[in-house]
Amino acid sequence: MTEAQHVQDAQNPEATESAPPVAPRGGRRGRPAATIYDIAKLAGVNPSTVSRALSKPGRINVKTEERIHAAAKELNYRLNPMARALPTGRTSSLGLLLADITNPMFFNVVRGAESAASMRGYTLLLAESQESSEREAAAAERLSPSVDGLVLVTSRLSDEQIVDLAAQRPLVVINRKVHGVPGIVPDIEPGIEQALAHLGGLGHTSIAFVSGPENSWMNRARWAALLDRAPALGMTIVEIGPGKPTLEGGATTLARVVAAGVTAVLAYNDLMAIGLMRAAQESGLDVPGELSIIGFDDIFGSDFTSPQLSTVRTPLGAIGDQAVRLIMRLIDEEAGGPPPLESDQPLVTEFVVRGSTGPAAR
Amino acid sequence: MTEAQHVQDAQNPEATESAPPVAPRGGRRGRPAATIYDIAKLAGVNPSTVSRALSKPGRINVKTEERIHAAAKELNYRLNPMARALPTGRTSSLGLLLADITNPMFFNVVRGAESAASMRGYTLLLAESQESSEREAAAAERLSPSVDGLVLVTSRLSDEQIVDLAAQRPLVVINRKVHGVPGIVPDIEPGIEQALAHLGGLGHTSIAFVSGPENSWMNRARWAALLDRAPALGMTIVEIGPGKPTLEGGATTLARVVAAGVTAVLAYNDLMAIGLMRAAQESGLDVPGELSIIGFDDIFGSDFTSPQLSTVRTPLGAIGDQAVRLIMRLIDEEAGGPPPLESDQPLVTEFVVRGSTGPAAR
DNA sequence: CCCGGTTTGTCAACCGGTTGCCAAAATTGG
DNA sequence: CCAATTTTGGCAACCGGTTGACAAACCGGG
């Protein structure tokens, strides 16, 4: 019998000598990673003492503790996170759920989150919903049992679904407000106010909002703020959309933008703004000569275009960072720690003037 | 006593009735998530039978299996991945280690990897090394015990470190070749050949390579290929660098590029190319009139610039996808499954002509 | 109706940590 | 020098699954 056909002959009755262990001891790799039992044997103490020495500094006699640490170092010991998670329920990892990884808006959010998490010894589990609420729900289900908390970035889930999820474990939503669920939302007012003032100063009186996904909370929030402020500043405003929050989504609105006869548009996000700008230029329209365009977020690449895109900047990195810090506070609080007290600095948006806005064509 | 001050009175001595379990049963949330024991009770069978019914279809009587599935559904059961991972050693998750999350080159790699992973029921753990080999090593250590395999994307580790890591568990490197370690590397030759032919056709005879990080394998590979091919096509070529693989890294080489008197440059990646192009334009140099610029990768935004960037496209999404598929083959193989047989389609690069290249200034 | 062979489900051990409880050892004080 | 108190470390149970071994139940055939 060759060594290769290792399975198949299971019910062999004379396999009585020293039954092999359940798993092939670390998957036929080098030796099987030290455990606290190995350390205990080497240091001549009980495994529970090792556990305490390693995770409850001070609980154990200094001399013993030193001996154990030395043994651990010698064996190159690494704690098995899964073994710890089982009895304690704490996994030291966070789930991050994104609508679309390739949308540059997420880059900085992810980076901010990753750095805040790894600084505190937490690991990030990543999942993408590709703008689909079913996939997002499935991903949340999948991640949920393995994490201490969940961060939803521009979720496409319904409020009820989010509330249900939040009932199971600590959860923070980004760019959305859901009643009773902690969320991180930048203050969009200042940026919008500045953007509208800028347009007003350039003589624009008739503008449009190219809107994004219908089920995006942030999309509605931006539109609501514009609807509230634009008339107050003496401008008329119309909504064009909804559309996909992508380059194509922006490009396909061109005909309607032109038809609406507006002199300036704000798009739901930079991607749509850039898509629209390129479509406009391809059809011979001058930006900003004949049409001023403003985006949202100030994503990577928004200053690559020609003209560079004027946009309402969102502090994306800070958002990711604060979301993670907030969820860790929730986790600590739930574990019986002190209630949160430190409050984070506010997240404000700001209008960035670049080249895609100019005097209104009359 | 208000409901809010929930802790603080721990050492209460008369807490003798029914000692609470170790963990507060799911962290004072709604009920504690069903286990196979709950299902067993409900279905009137042994827990081990439940385990088999759920993970070894066919091992159990159809009727019993149905009953168990019904009970599982009723209790809204989710398997606890950690509890499974402990005895089996299989975690169903993969670690992805990136040099820099904000570099757009990773977006598509991550997306390809995430989609391949989630399709197979795997979860991605993400870590960033921020271009530092120490941080990368630390992150690998941290992730390693929790994953079935590791994917290193443009690693900044030394070959030895990578070999050591690969000895511990399945590992795949992207954009790098390390002896004895499986890797996914696109074939850079075709794209480079096409790019050089393109430049040659435009009359360029003196070109430069703006190089990236010294410890980047791919940087050396690109330079080596250029060094090999350019003279064969009758061009002289010089290396300028090394530099950081960022916009600034590219911009700061401008003086040296100009001083070198070349008419065209290839940059290590699109980011550097774009940085260089912008610096050139700011200093009044015409691109491509006075200097032709070519990047590598074709990242998001490389066609936003004006002129749009000519670049050697790398199939980033396919790379992420294949890396994950490869590592899953390694995992299966190690678990005693069949050896890999299907071979993936080749990953070739291709030159994309856009606007940043033109006839040589003479 | 009995026998050998196959299905089916139970038992119990195990993965690698954590922690409540307790007893032995060390320390303090009178 | 002994009682009271505090430190220290061991025992054993537990987290939620998986799996080898085994026995009971079931099957068809002679």
Side-chain angles (χ1 to χ4, degrees):
Chain A
M1 184 192 294
T2 69
E3 211 266 323
Q5 47 178 202
H6 23 55
V7 200
Q8 298 298 52
D9 49 4
Q11 57 274 62
N12 169 7
E14 38 275 352
T16 34
E17 80 290 339
S18 75
V22 173
R25 291 240 173 259
R28 57 168 84 18
R29 294 264 164 186
R31 78 173 159 307
T35 71
I36 57 168
Y37 295 89
D38 303 324
I39 299 179
K41 205 173 299 169
L42 185 59
V45 296
N46 189 283
S48 61
T49 307
V50 176
S51 173
R52 284 195 257 261
L54 264 27
S55 52
K56 304 260 191 327
R59 171 66 173 76
I60 290 294
N61 187 307
V62 202
K63 297 283 300 178
T64 319
E65 199 173 314
E66 275 171 9
R67 196 147 39 91
I68 290 174
H69 276 117
K73 184 137 30 83
E74 184 180 334
L75 295 174
N76 189 23
Y77 171 76
R78 322 262 133 225
L79 184 137
N80 180 329
M82 253 91 58
R84 166 176 280 177
L86 202 41
T88 62
R90 294 180 49 260
T91 63
S92 290
S93 57
L94 263 27
L96 198 64
L97 222 46
L98 309 175
D100 174 10
I101 297 184
T102 58
N103 182 335
M105 118 126 231
F106 294 113
F107 303 161
N108 282 304
V109 175
V110 173
R111 168 171 245 183
E114 208 279 337
S115 115
S118 80
M119 190 173 307
R120 294 255 230 138
Y122 271 69
T123 299
L124 240 45
L125 305 216
L126 194 71
E128 183 192 22
S129 64
Q130 295 176 42
E131 301 280 354
S132 137
S133 68
E134 294 83 45
R135 259 191 294 263
E136 184 170 341
E141 287 278 331
R142 188 163 53 85
L143 251 42
S144 182
S146 323
V147 299
D148 292 344
L150 229 37
V151 178
L152 267 37
V153 194
T154 59
S155 177
R156 299 293 178 246
L157 260 28
S158 70
D159 278 16
E160 294 81 40
Q161 287 176 299
I162 292 178
V163 168
D164 286 353
L165 244 32
Q168 291 173 33
R169 68 189 61 255
L171 180 149
V172 167
V173 290
I174 283 181
N175 269 4
R176 178 157 176 172
K177 276 180 181 157
V178 178
H179 184 71
V181 177
I184 300 283
V185 180
D187 181 7
I188 56 176
E189 298 284 345
I192 285 182
E193 191 71 37
Q194 292 164 26
L196 289 176
H198 171 76
L199 290 179
L202 291 169
H204 295 271
T205 55
S206 174
I207 67 180
F209 176 61
V210 169
S211 71
E214 268 185 297
N215 52 356
S216 157
W217 184 92
M218 183 52 88
N219 181 59
R220 289 195 299 273
R222 288 175 179 167
W223 169 233
L226 288 168
L227 203 53
D228 178 51
R229 301 303 307 148
L233 291 164
M235 310 181 194
T236 64
I237 186 166
V238 296
E239 181 184 14
I240 294 175
K244 296 185 61 177
T246 60
L247 292 174
E248 297 76 40
T252 56
T253 62
L254 179 61
R256 278 175 291 168
V257 168
V258 170
V262 298
T263 58
V265 330
L266 292 99
Y268 163 63
N269 68 10
D270 287 345
L271 242 27
M272 297 185 82
I274 293 171
L276 174 62
M277 181 161 78
R278 300 178 82 183
Q281 290 171 333
E282 274 163 25
S283 77
L285 212 61
D286 183 52
V287 177
E290 299 171 82
L291 181 69
S292 287
I293 298 179
I294 292 177
F296 270 92
D297 288 343
D298 192 19
I299 61 171
F300 169 88
S302 64
D303 56 346
F304 288 0
T305 57
S306 185
Q308 297 185 11
L309 186 69
S310 296
T311 185
V312 177
R313 172 180 297 155
T314 306
L316 300 169
I319 289 177
D321 177 82
Q322 283 200 21
V324 166
R325 298 231 303 273
L326 173 55
I327 205 153
M328 305 231 251
R329 289 215 297 273
L330 295 176
I331 292 168
D332 289 350
E333 190 188 1
E334 184 154 285
L341 37 89
E342 43 148 348
S343 73
D344 289 304
Q345 73 281 20
L347 294 162
V348 302
T349 55
E350 139 198 48
F351 179 60
V352 181
V353 188
R354 289 202 279 244
S356 65
T357 44
R362 78 230 67 89
Chain B
M1 184 194 296
T2 69
E3 210 267 322
Q5 46 178 202
H6 23 58
V7 202
Q8 298 300 51
D9 48 5
Q11 60 275 61
N12 168 5
E14 35 279 352
T16 34
E17 79 289 342
S18 74
V22 173
R25 291 240 173 259
R28 56 168 84 18
R29 294 263 164 186
R31 78 172 160 306
T35 71
I36 56 168
Y37 295 88
D38 302 324
I39 299 179
K41 205 174 299 170
L42 185 58
V45 298
N46 190 283
S48 59
T49 306
V50 176
S51 173
R52 285 197 250 264
L54 263 27
S55 51
K56 304 263 193 325
R59 171 66 172 77
I60 290 295
N61 186 308
V62 205
K63 295 285 299 178
T64 318
E65 199 173 314
E66 275 172 8
R67 197 147 40 92
I68 290 173
H69 276 116
K73 186 139 27 81
E74 184 180 334
L75 295 173
N76 188 23
Y77 171 76
R78 320 263 133 225
L79 183 136
N80 180 330
M82 254 90 58
R84 165 177 282 177
L86 204 40
T88 62
R90 294 181 48 261
T91 63
S92 290
S93 56
L94 264 27
L96 198 64
L97 221 45
L98 309 175
D100 173 9
I101 297 184
T102 59
N103 182 335
M105 116 125 232
F106 294 113
F107 303 161
N108 282 303
V109 175
V110 173
R111 168 172 245 180
E114 207 278 340
S115 114
S118 80
M119 190 174 305
R120 294 254 230 138
Y122 270 69
T123 299
L124 239 44
L125 305 215
L126 193 71
E128 183 192 21
S129 65
Q130 295 176 42
E131 300 280 354
S132 138
S133 68
E134 295 82 45
R135 260 190 293 262
E136 184 169 341
E141 286 278 330
R142 188 163 53 83
L143 251 42
S144 181
S146 323
V147 300
D148 292 344
L150 229 37
V151 177
L152 267 37
V153 194
T154 60
S155 176
R156 297 293 178 248
L157 259 27
S158 71
D159 279 15
E160 294 80 41
Q161 287 176 300
I162 292 179
V163 168
D164 286 355
L165 244 32
Q168 291 173 34
R169 68 190 61 255
L171 181 149
V172 167
V173 290
I174 284 181
N175 268 4
R176 178 158 176 172
K177 275 180 181 157
V178 178
H179 184 71
V181 177
I184 299 284
V185 179
D187 181 6
I188 57 176
E189 299 284 346
I192 285 183
E193 190 72 36
Q194 292 163 26
L196 289 176
H198 171 75
L199 290 179
L202 291 169
H204 295 271
T205 55
S206 173
I207 67 180
F209 176 62
V210 169
S211 70
E214 268 184 297
N215 52 356
S216 157
W217 184 91
M218 183 51 89
N219 180 60
R220 290 195 299 273
R222 288 175 179 167
W223 170 232
L226 288 168
L227 203 52
D228 179 51
R229 301 302 308 147
L233 291 164
M235 309 181 195
T236 64
I237 186 166
V238 295
E239 181 183 16
I240 294 175
K244 295 185 60 178
T246 59
L247 291 174
E248 298 75 40
T252 57
T253 63
L254 177 62
R256 280 176 288 166
V257 168
V258 170
V262 298
T263 56
V265 332
L266 292 99
Y268 163 64
N269 68 10
D270 288 345
L271 240 27
M272 297 185 82
I274 293 171
L276 174 61
M277 181 160 79
R278 300 178 81 182
Q281 290 170 333
E282 274 163 24
S283 78
L285 212 61
D286 183 51
V287 177
E290 300 171 81
L291 182 68
S292 287
I293 298 179
I294 293 177
F296 270 92
D297 289 343
D298 191 20
I299 61 171
F300 170 87
S302 64
D303 57 345
F304 288 0
T305 58
S306 186
Q308 297 185 10
L309 186 68
S310 297
T311 186
V312 177
R313 172 181 296 155
T314 306
L316 299 169
I319 288 177
D321 177 83
Q322 283 200 18
V324 166
R325 297 230 304 272
L326 172 56
I327 205 154
M328 303 231 253
R329 288 215 299 274
L330 295 175
I331 293 168
D332 289 350
E333 190 188 0
E334 184 153 284
L341 39 88
E342 43 149 349
S343 73
D344 289 305
Q345 72 281 20
L347 294 163
V348 302
T349 56
E350 135 198 52
F351 180 60
V352 181
V353 187
R354 290 203 279 243
S356 65
T357 44
R362 78 231 63 93

